Amino acid sequence: MTKPIKISLPDGSVREVEPGTTPADVAAAIGPGLAKAALAARVNGEVRDLHRPFEEDAELALITARDEADALELARHDFAHVLAEAVQNLFPGTQITFGPATDDGFYYDFAPAPERGPFTEEDLPVIEEEMRRLIRADTPLVREVWTRDAVRDFFEKQGESFKAEWVMELPADETISMYRTGEWVDLCRGPHLASTGKLDPEAFKLTRVSGAYWRGDQNNPQLSRIYGTGWLNRKQLDAHLVRLEEAAKRDHRKIGQEMDLFHLQAEAHGSVFWHPKGYIIWRALEAYLRRRLDAAGYEEVKTPQIMDARQWEQSGHWGKYRENMFVVPDEIPGTDEDAPVLSGTGDLMALKPMNCPAHVLIFRQGIKSYRDLPLRLAEFGCCHRNEPHGALHGILRVRQFTQDDAHIFCREDQIIEETRLFCDLLDSVYRDLGFADYAIKLALRPDQRFGSDEMWDKAESDLREAVKLTGRATADYGWEELPGEGAFYSPKLEFHLTDAIGRTWQCGTLQLDYVLPERLDASYVGEDGERHRPVMFHRAILGTFERFIGILIEHHAGRFPLWLAPVQAVVATIVSDADDYAREVVAALTAAGLRAEADLRNEKINYKVREHSLAHVPYLLVVGKREAEERTIALRPLGADARQEVVSFGSVVERLRDEALSPDLRG
C-alpha cells in the first residue's frame, strides 16, 4: 500500500494526501474560494506551480494576490513568457533567448530573422494585441520534464541556436523543465501560473525596445530587447504609468541639461563633465559631509589612483573583480608609427575600483595599539569601474565616480558601538538631505566568496545582532535579509532610500569584514601584548556623489533646498531706473554668502518670472522704481502656490542668509 504524504498548512493543521496530489487539489479541498484565488504554492519554502505534484512530506502555503510580492513576480514572469510566444507568432524566424521579471515588469531578448532586422517601438502595439489574445485564450501552462539532449535536439530542429547552446551548459543530471502553452514550448525553470487566463489582459504595457548582447558580451550577437511593465490589475498599471510620467518629468538628464549642471559625451563614456552650476551642488554636498565626518571623529586621507596588480591579487580583487577594472601596463608607449603602441611586456597595474586596500595599507604603517582603535579613515576617493557601455545611465551609473568612502578599524568589542554610531550618523544625514523614509536590509553571503563558513557565520551574526541592539532591525525600518546579496568578502547592511514619488534607491552601506585584514596582514597590539586582527567596516552614506546628486535632482525635480541650489536668488528689475538698486541688493546678498544674480534685461517682468521659475531658482526678488525709492523688495518664492510678499532690504538679506545655511550649521 502506498504511503500517504503529510502536508502541513500555515494554521498548524496536517492533511494526509495520496501521491500525485497537487497544491491545487489541496486548495480545492479547503474550499472553492481558495481554489479560485490560488496562483501558486510555496512548498518547503520553494515557489512552485499549483499543478506540480508533491514528492514528499511538505509544508505548504498557497500564494494568492494578497501575497503581492510573490504574485507580481509570477505575473511578470508569465507576461514575459506570453511576450515571447506573441513575437514568434507574429514574426516567424525570430529566435528566443531569455526574459526575466524585473522590479516593475519584464523583458525578453530576441534574435530577429536577419531579413527582418531589429524590432522597433512601432512594433509594440501589434505585439500587445497578440499578447492580449493569448491571455484571453486562457491556455494552460503545463510543466514538462525533459532530458538535456532532448531539449537540445528540439531547439536545433526549431532553429533555436541560442537555447540549444544554453541547455548544453547545464549539468547533465539536472532536472530540466519545459513549459508548454498549446503547441508553443519554452525552456524555463518556472514557476508559472496555471494558465494564461490568470493574467489580466489590461494590466501590462510594452514600454520600449533596446539593443542587448547575447550573454551580455559585446563580442556576441546583438539582440533586440523588448521591455514591458506588468501588474496584477489595471488599477496598479495606471498608477505605475502615472509614476513613470512623473519620473520622466524628473529625469536628471533632462533637468541637468535645462539647469546647465553637467553633460556627458561619447569621448568619455561613463564620465561626467561637471559645469560650474552642477559643481556648486557637488561642493556644497561635499563640504556638508566633510563637516559631519570631522565631527564624528573621522580622519580624512587621500590614496593613489593606480596600484600594481600584485596588490590587487593580494587583496583578492584581481581574481574576483578584474573584469570590472581598468588595467594599465607599466611601460612607456611606443612612438614609432610602424611598431605597436605597447610591447605587452610591462607589469600590469590597475586604476582603483575601490579604496579599501589602500586604507589597509595606511593602517599598516607603524604599530597600532588597541588604544588607537577605533580608527576611522575617510576618503572622497575617485574610482573607476569598467562598466559595459550598455549598462551606463546618465550620472546614476558611470565609470568614473567619487565615493564618500570610509573604513573603520576596530576591536570586536567595539562592533556594536561603531554600528550604532554609523547608523545614527547616516540617519541624521539622510534626514538633513530630505530622506526620512529608508529601509535597512542585511545582504548575506554570496556563492562566490572569500573566507571560511565559520568566518561568515560570525560576520553575519555580529552585524545582525549589532543592528538589533540599535533598535533598527524592525519592520519600521523595513528590515529584511537578502540571501546571496553580500560582497565577496563580507556581509553588508544596505540602506534603501524612498524618494518623493515612491521609488527606492540603495545608497548607504555598512560591511563587516574579517577577510581583508587577514589577506593584507593588518594587525594591532592588544592589551595582552599579542598581535590581533582588527575588524574592518567598509561604509558609505551617499554611495557616490554622481549617483546621489542624480537622485537629489529627481527627488526635488530640480527644486533644490536653498542651501544646495546653484543660483539661490535672482534680483529682477521691472524698469531700468531700478538697475542700481538691484546691483546693490545682489552685492548685499553675495556679501552675506548667497549665490545671487541680477537680471537687468529689457524684458517684461512676467517673462523674467517665468524664465527663472523654469530654471528652478528658489527666490526671485523683484524691484522697480517704487521699491528702489522705499528700499523694499517684492519677494517671490519658487512654486505656483507661493505668495509674494513685500519686505525691507535688510530683512530679506538676513532671512535668506539664515535659510541658506547648510542643515548642520543652523542653530
Side-chain angles (χ1 to χ4, degrees):
M1 183 175 178
T2 306
K3 183 180 178 182
I5 295 174
K6 294 182 178 179
I7 304 301
S8 301
L9 299 174
D11 63 1
S13 64
V14 177
R15 290 179 177 243
E16 290 191 351
V17 300
E18 293 300 315
T21 300
T22 67
D25 295 330
V26 175
I30 293 173
L34 183 58
K36 183 178 180 180
L39 300 175
R42 189 176 293 279
V43 179
N44 291 332
E46 177 189 359
V47 179
R48 291 188 174 188
D49 307 328
L50 274 177
H51 294 287
R52 181 173 171 181
F54 298 107
E55 294 115 2
E56 59 186 355
D57 293 349
E59 293 183 354
L60 170 66
L62 293 163
I63 296 171
T64 70
R66 291 184 178 181
D67 307 297
E68 188 167 288
D70 286 330
L72 281 171
E73 178 81 13
L74 287 159
R76 288 164 179 166
H77 188 180
D78 279 27
F79 279 125
H81 187 91
V82 172
L83 167 61
E85 183 177 359
V87 167
Q88 289 203 310
N89 288 350
L90 293 168
F91 306 101
T94 301
Q95 291 193 58
I96 54 176
T97 62
F98 293 99
T102 65
D103 287 344
D104 61 6
F106 56 94
Y107 69 79
Y108 210 105
D109 288 343
F110 299 95
E115 64 274 13
R116 193 224 175 269
F119 293 114
T120 68
E121 295 192 4
E122 285 70 32
D123 297 315
L124 300 186
V126 68
I127 297 173
E128 285 184 348
E129 282 308 308
E130 177 64 6
M131 289 177 67
R132 291 190 179 94
R133 185 189 72 78
L134 292 171
I135 291 169
R136 292 188 179 109
D138 195 17
T139 307
L141 279 150
V142 180
R143 180 178 184 268
E144 300 176 356
V145 177
W146 292 27
T147 66
R148 188 177 69 170
D149 288 346
V151 174
R152 178 200 57 200
D153 293 345
F154 171 80
F155 282 122
E156 285 181 346
K157 289 176 183 176
Q158 296 289 322
E160 298 280 3
S161 59
F162 297 98
K163 291 280 193 180
E165 173 189 325
W166 179 263
V167 75
M168 293 310 292
E169 297 187 12
L170 300 177
D173 59 349
E174 182 171 317
T175 298
I176 296 176
S177 56
M178 299 277 277
Y179 278 83
R180 181 183 299 276
T181 49
E183 296 300 314
W184 193 79
V185 185
D186 190 15
L187 169 67
C188 183
R189 291 184 183 276
H192 280 286
L193 301 172
S195 71
T196 59
K198 289 288 187 179
L199 296 170
D200 184 338
E202 302 301 325
F204 79 94
K205 182 175 179 58
L206 300 183
T207 54
R208 62 190 175 97
V209 178
S210 73
Y213 292 102
W214 172 236
R215 298 187 169 189
D217 186 339
Q218 61 187 6
N219 296 314
N220 287 338
Q222 188 165 26
L223 308 172
S224 280
R225 177 172 293 178
I226 298 179
Y227 288 90
T229 184
W231 300 84
L232 300 179
N233 53 59
R234 180 61 185 264
K235 182 178 179 182
Q236 288 181 341
L237 173 65
D238 288 344
H240 177 70
L241 294 177
V242 169
R243 288 195 297 270
L244 286 182
E245 184 179 351
E246 182 61 30
K249 295 176 185 175
R250 294 168 178 260
D251 191 311
H252 71 281
R253 295 165 297 183
K254 170 178 172 288
I255 294 174
Q257 183 176 15
E258 292 171 351
M259 295 181 68
D260 192 25
L261 303 180
F262 61 84
H263 83 273
L264 301 128
Q265 63 185 68
E267 288 76 8
H269 272 299
S271 298
V272 185
F273 293 82
W274 289 101
H275 297 191
K277 289 180 179 178
Y279 204 55
I280 284 172
I281 300 171
W282 179 302
R283 290 175 59 200
L285 194 59
E286 183 179 41
Y288 160 79
L289 201 55
R290 179 173 281 116
R291 289 191 300 271
R292 298 302 308 267
L293 294 178
D294 288 346
Y298 287 80
E299 300 177 71
E300 191 170 347
V301 298
K302 197 72 175 173
T303 59
Q305 279 291 301
I306 188 167
M307 293 198 298
D308 193 287
R310 286 182 287 268
Q311 180 62 54
W312 298 111
E313 288 174 2
Q314 190 177 356
S315 69
H317 292 85
W318 194 254
K320 298 287 187 182
Y321 206 76
R322 186 169 65 243
E323 71 274 13
N324 299 112
M325 299 170 72
F326 285 99
V327 178
V328 182
D330 187 9
E331 63 174 283
I332 298 173
T335 57
D336 189 339
E337 291 186 3
D338 297 327
V341 175
L342 299 172
S343 70
T345 61
D347 290 338
L348 295 180
M349 306 184 77
L351 290 169
K352 65 177 179 181
M354 51 195 69
N355 303 299
C356 37
H359 287 193
V360 177
L361 297 182
I362 291 177
F363 179 87
R364 285 180 51 190
Q365 294 297 300
I367 298 173
K368 298 295 187 295
S369 163
Y370 69 95
R371 295 188 184 91
D372 298 321
L373 305 182
L375 178 62
R376 308 180 186 100
L377 300 181
E379 179 174 8
F380 297 124
C382 180
C383 298
H384 293 79
R385 294 182 186 171
N386 196 359
E387 301 279 3
H389 288 193
L392 303 176
H393 179 65
I395 65 174
L396 295 177
R397 188 164 183 180
V398 292
R399 287 174 149 187
Q400 176 186 300
F401 53 89
T402 299
Q403 296 177 310
D404 67 312
D405 202 10
H407 296 90
I408 303 168
F409 299 89
C410 66
R411 306 187 306 267
E412 288 191 22
D413 64 297
Q414 295 171 322
I415 288 174
I416 292 173
E417 180 62 8
E418 288 304 306
T419 301
R420 182 190 68 79
L421 289 171
F422 173 74
C423 289
D424 287 349
L425 176 61
L426 175 140
D427 181 86
S428 176
V429 169
Y430 282 178
R431 292 179 188 279
D432 280 351
L433 297 176
F435 296 101
D437 185 8
Y438 64 90
I440 305 176
K441 304 180 188 296
L442 174 58
L444 305 173
R445 70 193 74 184
D447 292 335
Q448 300 296 319
R449 59 185 182 270
F450 284 130
S452 65
D453 287 344
E454 292 76 17
M455 187 177 291
W456 277 87
D457 288 342
K458 179 170 178 53
E460 290 173 351
S461 175
D462 286 347
L463 204 51
R464 183 184 295 110
E465 291 306 310
V467 180
K468 285 181 179 178
L469 289 169
T470 67
R472 290 183 168 91
T474 66
D476 289 343
Y477 285 92
W479 176 257
E480 183 181 0
E481 297 195 4
L482 307 175
E485 296 294 317
F488 66 83
Y489 49 83
S490 71
K492 60 180 178 176
L493 293 179
E494 297 178 352
F495 298 85
H496 296 249
L497 307 178
T498 300
D499 71 9
I501 58 173
R503 297 171 301 179
T504 58
W505 307 85
Q506 195 261 303
C507 294
T509 183
L510 180 68
Q511 303 173 16
L512 178 57
D513 184 4
Y514 290 97
V515 173
L516 203 58
E518 180 76 29
R519 292 185 68 91
L520 297 184
D521 195 27
S523 65
Y524 68 92
V525 178
E527 193 171 4
D528 58 3
E530 300 295 325
R531 290 177 72 241
H532 298 269
R533 295 283 182 223
V535 178
M536 183 179 182
F537 280 108
H538 307 247
R539 47 110 294 174
I541 296 175
L542 307 185
T544 75
F545 278 85
E546 289 81 0
R547 183 168 181 268
F548 200 86
I549 290 173
I551 293 169
L552 281 172
I553 291 171
E554 298 197 1
H555 177 62
H556 292 293
R559 299 184 173 196
F560 293 102
L562 190 60
W563 70 281
L564 281 176
V567 178
Q568 296 169 319
V570 169
V571 182
T573 55
I574 300 173
V575 293
S576 60
D577 290 351
D579 286 0
D580 288 341
Y581 180 54
R583 294 188 185 97
E584 183 184 353
V585 174
V586 169
L589 291 171
T590 303
L594 285 121
R595 298 182 285 273
E597 298 176 355
D599 185 348
L600 310 180
R601 294 173 299 166
N602 184 25
E603 299 284 359
K604 293 184 181 295
I605 191 61
N606 287 341
Y607 177 85
K608 294 182 181 181
V609 169
R610 183 176 184 277
E611 186 175 86
H612 295 301
S613 295
L614 290 174
H616 306 302
V617 176
Y619 281 104
L620 190 62
L621 285 66
V622 179
V623 295
K625 185 175 181 180
R626 178 178 177 180
E627 285 80 11
E629 291 172 350
E630 298 178 357
R631 298 189 65 76
T632 58
I633 293 164
L635 183 65
R636 295 177 63 105
L638 179 64
D641 299 329
R643 294 176 55 189
Q644 177 175 301
E645 55 182 315
V646 177
V647 294
S648 67
F649 182 163
S651 65
V652 78
V653 172
E654 182 178 355
R655 171 176 164 180
L656 296 190
R657 180 194 62 205
D658 292 344
E659 188 179 333
L661 286 174
S662 175
D664 62 307
L665 299 177
R666 295 172 191 162

